[in-house]
Amino acid sequence: MHPLRLFRSTPFRLALAFALLFVCAFLLSGFVTFNLIKKELEARYDSQTKELFQVISQTYGDSDIQDVIDATRMHIAATSNMRNIFLLQSANGAILAANIPALSVPDGWSIRQGADFGIRVGFAYRIYAGSVGPDRLIVGTNNEETNELQEIVVASFGWALLVVIALAIGAGALIASRAQRRLDAVRDTMGRVSHGELAARIPLLGKGDDLDLLSLDINVALERLSLAVESMRQVSTDIAHDLKTPLNHLRMTLEDAGLKQARGEPVGLELELAMTEAGQIDETFEALLRIAQIESGARKSGFCLIELSDVLPSLVDVYREVAEDSDQKFFFNSEVGESTFVSGDRELLTQMYSNLIENSIRHAGAGAGIRLSLFVQGDSVHTSLEDSGPGIPKDEHTNVFRRLYRLEKSRTTPGTGLGLSLVKAIADLHGAAIWLEDAAPGLRVVLAYPRAGK
Ligand SMILES: Nc1ncnc2c1ncn2[C@@H]1O[C@H](COP(=O)(O)OP(=O)(O)OP(=O)(O)O)[C@@H](O)[C@H]1O
Ligand SMILES: [Mg+2]
């Protein structure tokens, strides 16, 4: 992967951020550990120094300084590499025993650099000074071991740090390039989709990880999108195709009128016909726009609780007379002892049932029986509208919901073929399932709403 791209990749940045965090924690813990060990060592050396001081000063008995001088010389002989320094001075400043030149330090603890008394540069000595009888004894220990410890700690932490950083960058780059490959697949798919290849889908690894889940969601969205685009394409073609006929009729009527007018004949009839045809085209567009408006979902904000057992009887009353005019019988069946609330828009629901009832009246033919039923099934409120007409063949059950689609046998009846499309749009808006069944004989349209309220 290109270094610049690698640096831009989120997983790599995350790996780096974690590495940085880890390094900080590592340095902090190293610093604390080192200081604790250093403190402990210094305390130990201080107590050794004090012990040396006391061992030597205890040899002072009966005001005899000679034992102290001997003890000091013995310890000087035993010390190697100037690890310890000793200085025994008489009250007048004469050096009685020492492995360093004269040195002036206050009583108690002090620190001096080795260079101060002309020995090994680079080490410091922690010194304890005090009186022994009339004389003065100085004992010191150098910090060589703590220095060595410091070097070891710094070196080992340094190496560990290098390994951590190398591992973080290496692992980060590896993880980043893997994640990047999968993100590239997503980008590639989206690029293909934006160039019109709606069937493109993101390949899934089947690991079930977050990227797989995200890809799955995108794929589902793409599937919906392509179905929606496909149905839009279908709808536009259907509309263009179906509107050609009435427009041709209108043009022919106007042409007839033109010819008649050229011959000086009256054209009143043709113009009236043209007006009716233009009116029908206008109605078709109105209905198409209405469906589109319902499908946009804007009406959903005005939804309220509607009791279907209140809405349906008044509709039945209105249409019973119309049915009787067509020599048909209209029944209403309501077998509910409980509430039939649904969440919805009263005007749209009325429009939907009007369309369905008008279909039965129009397509079932004279003498047919029509029955509207309302019942509750589990968590759903069901309605079914059944007629004893010729029905719709099973293989046409989905087609009739398409815009402008009419069965061949209905071409002679008035209508645009948009009634059931509007019904479907309203049912979808209400979250209701709609399906057709064979009522043997006749058609049954069933609607199942999610039950709302108590
Ligand atoms: N109850 C029914 N019995 C038999 N056929 C029906 C019935 N309802 C609908 N159909 C068929 O389904 C087709 C589509 O119905 P739809 O309601 O969409 O259009 P339409 O009734 O012809 O016209 P309109 O737009 O005026 O409603 C109808 O043309 C008819 O062929
Ligand atoms: Mg209809």
Side-chain angles (χ1 to χ4, degrees), residues 147-170:
N147 268 9
E148 272 170 15
L149 174 79
Q150 189 167 351
E151 276 165 22
I152 291 169
V153 169
V154 168
S156 54
F157 269 81
W159 280 111
L161 205 64
L162 276 182
V163 172
V164 166
I165 292 174
L167 267 180
I169 294 180

PDB file of all heavy atoms in Angstrom, residues 147-170:
ATOM      1  N   ASN A 147      24.530   3.810  38.923  1.00  0.00           N
ATOM      2  CA  ASN A 147      24.770   4.264  37.537  1.00  0.00           C
ATOM      3  C   ASN A 147      24.639   3.110  36.562  1.00  0.00           C
ATOM      4  O   ASN A 147      24.022   3.231  35.505  1.00  0.00           O
ATOM      5  CB  ASN A 147      26.188   4.847  37.414  1.00  0.00           C
ATOM      6  CG  ASN A 147      26.172   6.333  37.649  1.00  0.00           C
ATOM      7  OD1 ASN A 147      25.150   6.881  38.066  1.00  0.00           O
ATOM      8  ND2 ASN A 147      27.289   6.999  37.407  1.00  0.00           N
ATOM      9  N   GLU A 148      25.241   1.979  36.958  1.00  0.00           N
ATOM     10  CA  GLU A 148      25.162   0.805  36.078  1.00  0.00           C
ATOM     11  C   GLU A 148      23.710   0.373  35.897  1.00  0.00           C
ATOM     12  O   GLU A 148      23.268   0.071  34.798  1.00  0.00           O
ATOM     13  CB  GLU A 148      25.972  -0.345  36.678  1.00  0.00           C
ATOM     14  CG  GLU A 148      27.419  -0.294  36.258  1.00  0.00           C
ATOM     15  CD  GLU A 148      28.266  -1.294  37.038  1.00  0.00           C
ATOM     16  OE1 GLU A 148      27.687  -2.201  37.685  1.00  0.00           O
ATOM     17  OE2 GLU A 148      29.477  -1.145  36.987  1.00  0.00           O
ATOM     18  N   LEU A 149      22.989   0.395  37.030  1.00  0.00           N
ATOM     19  CA  LEU A 149      21.578   0.004  36.973  1.00  0.00           C
ATOM     20  C   LEU A 149      20.816   0.923  35.999  1.00  0.00           C
ATOM     21  O   LEU A 149      20.042   0.464  35.152  1.00  0.00           O
ATOM     22  CB  LEU A 149      20.958   0.117  38.367  1.00  0.00           C
ATOM     23  CG  LEU A 149      19.452  -0.124  38.380  1.00  0.00           C
ATOM     24  CD1 LEU A 149      19.153  -1.603  38.327  1.00  0.00           C
ATOM     25  CD2 LEU A 149      18.796   0.516  39.576  1.00  0.00           C
ATOM     26  N   GLN A 150      21.124   2.212  36.109  1.00  0.00           N
ATOM     27  CA  GLN A 150      20.463   3.179  35.235  1.00  0.00           C
ATOM     28  C   GLN A 150      20.746   2.843  33.776  1.00  0.00           C
ATOM     29  O   GLN A 150      19.833   2.838  32.939  1.00  0.00           O
ATOM     30  CB  GLN A 150      20.987   4.575  35.560  1.00  0.00           C
ATOM     31  CG  GLN A 150      20.213   5.650  34.852  1.00  0.00           C
ATOM     32  CD  GLN A 150      20.552   7.030  35.440  1.00  0.00           C
ATOM     33  OE1 GLN A 150      21.225   7.129  36.456  1.00  0.00           O
ATOM     34  NE2 GLN A 150      20.078   8.049  34.802  1.00  0.00           N
ATOM     35  N   GLU A 151      21.999   2.518  33.493  1.00  0.00           N
ATOM     36  CA  GLU A 151      22.357   2.200  32.097  1.00  0.00           C
ATOM     37  C   GLU A 151      21.600   0.968  31.611  1.00  0.00           C
ATOM     38  O   GLU A 151      21.069   0.943  30.499  1.00  0.00           O
ATOM     39  CB  GLU A 151      23.858   1.964  31.982  1.00  0.00           C
ATOM     40  CG  GLU A 151      24.635   3.270  31.814  1.00  0.00           C
ATOM     41  CD  GLU A 151      26.125   3.106  32.062  1.00  0.00           C
ATOM     42  OE1 GLU A 151      26.605   1.957  31.942  1.00  0.00           O
ATOM     43  OE2 GLU A 151      26.784   4.106  32.384  1.00  0.00           O
ATOM     44  N   ILE A 152      21.556  -0.062  32.507  1.00  0.00           N
ATOM     45  CA  ILE A 152      20.872  -1.301  32.099  1.00  0.00           C
ATOM     46  C   ILE A 152      19.384  -1.025  31.832  1.00  0.00           C
ATOM     47  O   ILE A 152      18.820  -1.435  30.820  1.00  0.00           O
ATOM     48  CB  ILE A 152      21.009  -2.390  33.205  1.00  0.00           C
ATOM     49  CG1 ILE A 152      22.465  -2.833  33.271  1.00  0.00           C
ATOM     50  CG2 ILE A 152      20.099  -3.574  32.923  1.00  0.00           C
ATOM     51  CD1 ILE A 152      22.773  -3.694  34.475  1.00  0.00           C
ATOM     52  N   VAL A 153      18.786  -0.279  32.773  1.00  0.00           N
ATOM     53  CA  VAL A 153      17.352   0.008  32.614  1.00  0.00           C
ATOM     54  C   VAL A 153      17.102   0.801  31.339  1.00  0.00           C
ATOM     55  O   VAL A 153      16.231   0.466  30.531  1.00  0.00           O
ATOM     56  CB  VAL A 153      16.817   0.764  33.853  1.00  0.00           C
ATOM     57  CG1 VAL A 153      15.415   1.301  33.589  1.00  0.00           C
ATOM     58  CG2 VAL A 153      16.789  -0.155  35.052  1.00  0.00           C
ATOM     59  N   VAL A 154      17.909   1.845  31.110  1.00  0.00           N
ATOM     60  CA  VAL A 154      17.708   2.684  29.928  1.00  0.00           C
ATOM     61  C   VAL A 154      17.888   1.845  28.663  1.00  0.00           C
ATOM     62  O   VAL A 154      17.076   1.908  27.728  1.00  0.00           O
ATOM     63  CB  VAL A 154      18.671   3.898  29.935  1.00  0.00           C
ATOM     64  CG1 VAL A 154      18.662   4.592  28.587  1.00  0.00           C
ATOM     65  CG2 VAL A 154      18.271   4.868  31.031  1.00  0.00           C
ATOM     66  N   ALA A 155      18.961   0.999  28.657  1.00  0.00           N
ATOM     67  CA  ALA A 155      19.220   0.194  27.454  1.00  0.00           C
ATOM     68  C   ALA A 155      18.064  -0.783  27.209  1.00  0.00           C
ATOM     69  O   ALA A 155      17.544  -0.890  26.091  1.00  0.00           O
ATOM     70  CB  ALA A 155      20.531  -0.558  27.607  1.00  0.00           C
ATOM     71  N   SER A 156      17.619  -1.487  28.290  1.00  0.00           N
ATOM     72  CA  SER A 156      16.585  -2.498  28.046  1.00  0.00           C
ATOM     73  C   SER A 156      15.253  -1.856  27.674  1.00  0.00           C
ATOM     74  O   SER A 156      14.558  -2.323  26.775  1.00  0.00           O
ATOM     75  CB  SER A 156      16.430  -3.435  29.247  1.00  0.00           C
ATOM     76  OG  SER A 156      16.201  -2.652  30.377  1.00  0.00           O
ATOM     77  N   PHE A 157      14.963  -0.720  28.316  1.00  0.00           N
ATOM     78  CA  PHE A 157      13.722  -0.034  27.950  1.00  0.00           C
ATOM     79  C   PHE A 157      13.807   0.506  26.528  1.00  0.00           C
ATOM     80  O   PHE A 157      12.840   0.471  25.783  1.00  0.00           O
ATOM     81  CB  PHE A 157      13.410   1.091  28.952  1.00  0.00           C
ATOM     82  CG  PHE A 157      12.547   0.623  30.076  1.00  0.00           C
ATOM     83  CD1 PHE A 157      13.095  -0.057  31.159  1.00  0.00           C
ATOM     84  CD2 PHE A 157      11.180   0.821  30.052  1.00  0.00           C
ATOM     85  CE1 PHE A 157      12.298  -0.515  32.186  1.00  0.00           C
ATOM     86  CE2 PHE A 157      10.374   0.368  31.087  1.00  0.00           C
ATOM     87  CZ  PHE A 157      10.927  -0.305  32.164  1.00  0.00           C
ATOM     88  N   GLY A 158      14.976   0.981  26.162  1.00  0.00           N
ATOM     89  CA  GLY A 158      15.169   1.503  24.801  1.00  0.00           C
ATOM     90  C   GLY A 158      14.923   0.435  23.763  1.00  0.00           C
ATOM     91  O   GLY A 158      14.173   0.632  22.794  1.00  0.00           O
ATOM     92  N   TRP A 159      15.520  -0.762  23.994  1.00  0.00           N
ATOM     93  CA  TRP A 159      15.322  -1.857  23.036  1.00  0.00           C
ATOM     94  C   TRP A 159      13.859  -2.279  22.974  1.00  0.00           C
ATOM     95  O   TRP A 159      13.304  -2.483  21.900  1.00  0.00           O
ATOM     96  CB  TRP A 159      16.203  -3.060  23.410  1.00  0.00           C
ATOM     97  CG  TRP A 159      17.621  -2.879  22.965  1.00  0.00           C
ATOM     98  CD1 TRP A 159      18.714  -2.682  23.746  1.00  0.00           C
ATOM     99  CD2 TRP A 159      18.081  -2.845  21.611  1.00  0.00           C
ATOM    100  NE1 TRP A 159      19.842  -2.516  22.979  1.00  0.00           N
ATOM    101  CE2 TRP A 159      19.479  -2.613  21.649  1.00  0.00           C
ATOM    102  CE3 TRP A 159      17.475  -2.968  20.368  1.00  0.00           C
ATOM    103  CZ2 TRP A 159      20.261  -2.526  20.501  1.00  0.00           C
ATOM    104  CZ3 TRP A 159      18.261  -2.873  19.222  1.00  0.00           C
ATOM    105  CH2 TRP A 159      19.636  -2.653  19.294  1.00  0.00           C
ATOM    106  N   ALA A 160      13.293  -2.404  24.178  1.00  0.00           N
ATOM    107  CA  ALA A 160      11.877  -2.828  24.222  1.00  0.00           C
ATOM    108  C   ALA A 160      11.002  -1.820  23.473  1.00  0.00           C
ATOM    109  O   ALA A 160      10.096  -2.192  22.725  1.00  0.00           O
ATOM    110  CB  ALA A 160      11.413  -2.950  25.665  1.00  0.00           C
ATOM    111  N   LEU A 161      11.358  -0.552  23.628  1.00  0.00           N
ATOM    112  CA  LEU A 161      10.602   0.511  22.963  1.00  0.00           C
ATOM    113  C   LEU A 161      10.686   0.355  21.447  1.00  0.00           C
ATOM    114  O   LEU A 161       9.685   0.450  20.723  1.00  0.00           O
ATOM    115  CB  LEU A 161      11.189   1.852  23.382  1.00  0.00           C
ATOM    116  CG  LEU A 161      10.248   3.026  23.314  1.00  0.00           C
ATOM    117  CD1 LEU A 161       9.116   2.811  24.292  1.00  0.00           C
ATOM    118  CD2 LEU A 161      10.987   4.312  23.644  1.00  0.00           C
ATOM    119  N   LEU A 162      11.896   0.101  20.976  1.00  0.00           N
ATOM    120  CA  LEU A 162      12.100  -0.075  19.533  1.00  0.00           C
ATOM    121  C   LEU A 162      11.252  -1.232  19.009  1.00  0.00           C
ATOM    122  O   LEU A 162      10.588  -1.132  17.973  1.00  0.00           O
ATOM    123  CB  LEU A 162      13.571  -0.355  19.237  1.00  0.00           C
ATOM    124  CG  LEU A 162      14.459   0.881  19.110  1.00  0.00           C
ATOM    125  CD1 LEU A 162      15.880   0.474  18.768  1.00  0.00           C
ATOM    126  CD2 LEU A 162      13.914   1.799  18.003  1.00  0.00           C
ATOM    127  N   VAL A 163      11.282  -2.345  19.782  1.00  0.00           N
ATOM    128  CA  VAL A 163      10.516  -3.529  19.356  1.00  0.00           C
ATOM    129  C   VAL A 163       9.022  -3.200  19.324  1.00  0.00           C
ATOM    130  O   VAL A 163       8.315  -3.529  18.371  1.00  0.00           O
ATOM    131  CB  VAL A 163      10.798  -4.721  20.313  1.00  0.00           C
ATOM    132  CG1 VAL A 163       9.874  -5.881  20.009  1.00  0.00           C
ATOM    133  CG2 VAL A 163      12.250  -5.149  20.190  1.00  0.00           C
ATOM    134  N   VAL A 164       8.557  -2.501  20.367  1.00  0.00           N
ATOM    135  CA  VAL A 164       7.130  -2.154  20.438  1.00  0.00           C
ATOM    136  C   VAL A 164       6.732  -1.290  19.243  1.00  0.00           C
ATOM    137  O   VAL A 164       5.725  -1.544  18.571  1.00  0.00           O
ATOM    138  CB  VAL A 164       6.813  -1.406  21.762  1.00  0.00           C
ATOM    139  CG1 VAL A 164       5.447  -0.748  21.695  1.00  0.00           C
ATOM    140  CG2 VAL A 164       6.855  -2.378  22.920  1.00  0.00           C
ATOM    141  N   ILE A 165       7.566  -0.263  18.961  1.00  0.00           N
ATOM    142  CA  ILE A 165       7.222   0.644  17.861  1.00  0.00           C
ATOM    143  C   ILE A 165       7.234  -0.120  16.533  1.00  0.00           C
ATOM    144  O   ILE A 165       6.306   0.003  15.726  1.00  0.00           O
ATOM    145  CB  ILE A 165       8.192   1.846  17.828  1.00  0.00           C
ATOM    146  CG1 ILE A 165       7.939   2.713  19.066  1.00  0.00           C
ATOM    147  CG2 ILE A 165       8.006   2.669  16.567  1.00  0.00           C
ATOM    148  CD1 ILE A 165       8.905   3.848  19.242  1.00  0.00           C
ATOM    149  N   ALA A 166       8.256  -0.950  16.341  1.00  0.00           N
ATOM    150  CA  ALA A 166       8.342  -1.706  15.085  1.00  0.00           C
ATOM    151  C   ALA A 166       7.139  -2.624  14.946  1.00  0.00           C
ATOM    152  O   ALA A 166       6.507  -2.711  13.881  1.00  0.00           O
ATOM    153  CB  ALA A 166       9.631  -2.510  15.057  1.00  0.00           C
ATOM    154  N   LEU A 167       6.789  -3.300  16.073  1.00  0.00           N
ATOM    155  CA  LEU A 167       5.640  -4.219  16.029  1.00  0.00           C
ATOM    156  C   LEU A 167       4.352  -3.461  15.734  1.00  0.00           C
ATOM    157  O   LEU A 167       3.534  -3.890  14.922  1.00  0.00           O
ATOM    158  CB  LEU A 167       5.495  -4.919  17.381  1.00  0.00           C
ATOM    159  CG  LEU A 167       6.203  -6.265  17.502  1.00  0.00           C
ATOM    160  CD1 LEU A 167       5.988  -6.837  18.880  1.00  0.00           C
ATOM    161  CD2 LEU A 167       5.685  -7.227  16.446  1.00  0.00           C
ATOM    162  N   ALA A 168       4.199  -2.303  16.392  1.00  0.00           N
ATOM    163  CA  ALA A 168       2.966  -1.525  16.217  1.00  0.00           C
ATOM    164  C   ALA A 168       2.830  -1.076  14.772  1.00  0.00           C
ATOM    165  O   ALA A 168       1.759  -1.200  14.168  1.00  0.00           O
ATOM    166  CB  ALA A 168       2.967  -0.322  17.141  1.00  0.00           C
ATOM    167  N   ILE A 169       3.943  -0.576  14.200  1.00  0.00           N
ATOM    168  CA  ILE A 169       3.862  -0.100  12.816  1.00  0.00           C
ATOM    169  C   ILE A 169       3.625  -1.276  11.871  1.00  0.00           C
ATOM    170  O   ILE A 169       2.768  -1.230  10.984  1.00  0.00           O
ATOM    171  CB  ILE A 169       5.141   0.677  12.430  1.00  0.00           C
ATOM    172  CG1 ILE A 169       5.198   1.964  13.267  1.00  0.00           C
ATOM    173  CG2 ILE A 169       5.155   0.998  10.943  1.00  0.00           C
ATOM    174  CD1 ILE A 169       6.391   2.825  13.010  1.00  0.00           C
ATOM    175  N   GLY A 170       4.355  -2.380  12.106  1.00  0.00           N
ATOM    176  CA  GLY A 170       4.202  -3.556  11.232  1.00  0.00           C
ATOM    177  C   GLY A 170       2.793  -4.120  11.307  1.00  0.00           C
ATOM    178  O   GLY A 170       2.116  -4.283  10.289  1.00  0.00           O
TER     179      GLY A 170
END
